[in-house]
Amino acid sequence: PEFKLAEWGVNQDGWRRCFFNGIGWIGTDYGVGWEVFQVLRENGDAFATLHPEPLVATLQSHVLANRFPAAGKVVYTLYNKNSTAVAGDLLTVPGAPGCHYVELRYDRPVTARHDRGRDTLALDVLPTDVVCLAQLPSLLQARAEGGVVRIRVTGKADKGVLWAFLDRDDSHLLQPTGRPVPVRDGVAELNVREVFGRDGRVILKLVRDQHLLDEVVLGA
């Protein structure tokens, strides 16, 4: 039968290696980035694929990438094996109509340069760090007007739940600060100060069955 590996043990690099390969691990790794558990969980539909593509080509030396396809999205993990940060073009991937890109570990929008059905993605990655890029369908449209975020959700996103976070997605914590946002007839509004008590970077996530459908980030 098909199976997924899980790694056992404690070492400085274990959680990075497991996150990069989309597998679980057992034990406590010192210095673990705990938010990676949330990324693995909400993209379990991609990481559980029976058709992963290991070590896809990248555009910079000692930057490694894996590809995990799922219905409606594709997830890429990138591991910067350099002792220095990398920046600029890192990956060229097959494009998809109406898609956009988000880096999921730190919740950063990623700009794509389109050319003949291929998208070239540029971002910064810290030394020896692992990040996660997602090619997502554009199901959410959002704009900020003063302290109010106005949101539209397409009809393709039925049965999804819209969540809002301020500055960071802390769903991995025991008492997360994220708030569900009611959607009526494909329209929603979020008064940031009323909900969170202050202004900040707004992270919107559309989730169905605990899996991420789309994500939009507003603000620096």
Side-chain angles (χ1 to χ4, degrees):
E2 297 85 1
F3 66 94
K4 296 286 284 188
L5 296 173
E7 185 167 307
W8 178 281
V10 176
N11 62 74
Q12 292 289 341
D13 192 52
W15 71 267
R16 296 181 182 88
R17 183 171 57 250
C18 291
F19 184 32
F20 174 66
N21 289 314
I23 65 174
W25 64 94
I26 304 168
T28 302
D29 280 283
Y30 300 107
V32 66
W34 293 105
E35 72 283 350
V36 304
F37 292 117
Q38 172 65 14
V39 176
L40 290 170
R41 180 167 57 248
E42 70 184 13
N43 296 283
D45 51 341
F47 288 118
T49 180
L50 298 180
H51 305 284
E53 187 176 348
L55 298 180
V56 298
T58 68
L59 302 176
Q60 295 204 28
S61 178
H62 303 298
V63 175
L64 310 178
N66 291 325
R67 181 178 185 270
F68 302 89
K73 71 180 178 185
V74 182
V75 169
Y76 297 86
T77 53
L78 281 81
Y79 196 166
N80 177 18
K81 296 292 285 185
N82 295 284
S83 58
T84 57
V86 295
D89 294 346
L90 294 188
L91 195 65
T92 297
V93 302
C99 74
H100 70 119
Y101 298 87
V102 180
E103 194 286 304
L104 300 178
R105 182 178 173 196
Y106 299 106
D107 296 303
R108 300 176 291 173
V110 176
T111 301
R113 189 172 69 252
H114 311 286
D115 182 25
R116 292 175 291 184
R118 305 279 295 178
D119 293 342
T120 298
L121 312 178
L123 70 158
D124 303 340
V125 184
L126 296 172
T128 68
D129 204 10
V130 183
V131 297
C132 183
L133 284 170
Q135 182 190 72
L136 299 169
S138 297
L139 304 178
L140 295 174
Q141 290 82 43
R143 69 182 189 278
E145 297 179 355
V148 177
V149 177
R150 306 189 189 282
I151 308 157
R152 284 193 171 275
V153 184
T154 70
K156 297 179 182 178
D158 60 329
K159 300 181 181 178
V161 178
L162 180 62
W163 286 87
F165 302 87
L166 196 67
D167 294 332
R168 62 191 287 254
D169 178 356
D170 59 1
S171 300
H172 56 285
L173 300 180
L174 293 177
Q175 295 181 321
T177 58
R179 296 291 183 267
V181 181
V183 179
R184 296 181 179 85
D185 299 323
V187 176
E189 286 190 358
L190 172 69
N191 189 311
V192 178
R193 288 188 180 181
E194 285 186 2
V195 173
F196 295 106
R198 62 180 179 85
D199 294 325
R201 192 172 66 113
V202 177
I203 300 166
L204 300 171
K205 292 192 173 187
L206 188 66
V207 178
R208 181 171 61 206
D209 298 330
Q210 296 187 333
H211 291 151
L212 182 69
L213 298 176
D214 194 14
E215 176 175 345
V216 170
V217 182
L218 300 176

